[in-house]
Amino acid sequence: MPARSGLLKTSILALAGLSAAGAATAQGTRACGPRADVLARLEGRFGETRQSVGLAANQSMLEVYASEDTGTWTILMTTPAGVTCLMASGQAWQPWQVAKVPEGDPA
């Protein structure tokens, strides 16, 4: 499975190099690209879908994408300008399942 994680990083890095060289430079050494291109790659090639989303203090959007089928996951940060950067990726994704307490149960 580690090869899959490395492949994901390589694919995103290649995408950033081909489609947003200026954005990648502006973001430092992070792999960045246009949001639509990054999402198409994650969804099409790796089967990852958005699992959660949040707003950072700098008004950037943080998202977690994952696939239960492949076990891969990716954390993305998108700036208000629409530039999406890969923050982290890996394998062995497990969805968090919260146990619900039945109504009326004193526990």
Side-chain angles (χ1 to χ4, degrees):
M1 281 229 214
R4 240 187 258 162
S5 178
L7 179 61
L8 175 61
K9 290 177 188 175
T10 301
S11 297
I12 297 295
L13 286 169
L15 173 66
L18 292 173
S19 62
T25 302
Q27 296 295 324
T29 59
R30 291 189 185 137
C32 302
R35 179 175 169 72
D37 293 348
V38 174
L39 296 184
R41 177 77 61 151
L42 291 178
E43 294 168 355
R45 187 165 184 169
F46 300 99
E48 294 184 10
T49 58
R50 187 163 66 181
Q51 304 295 310
S52 59
V53 63
L55 190 61
N58 65 358
Q59 301 304 304
S60 290
M61 181 173 53
L62 179 110
E63 299 170 283
V64 177
Y65 278 75
S67 170
E68 289 186 48
D69 294 334
T70 65
T72 61
W73 59 265
T74 305
I75 297 175
L76 302 175
M77 181 77 76
T78 302
T79 68
V83 176
T84 299
C85 297
L86 173 77
M87 304 304 287
S89 64
Q91 67 275 337
W93 173 259
Q94 295 293 315
W96 183 260
Q97 298 193 8
V98 178
K100 294 188 178 195
V101 177
E103 286 187 37
D105 189 335

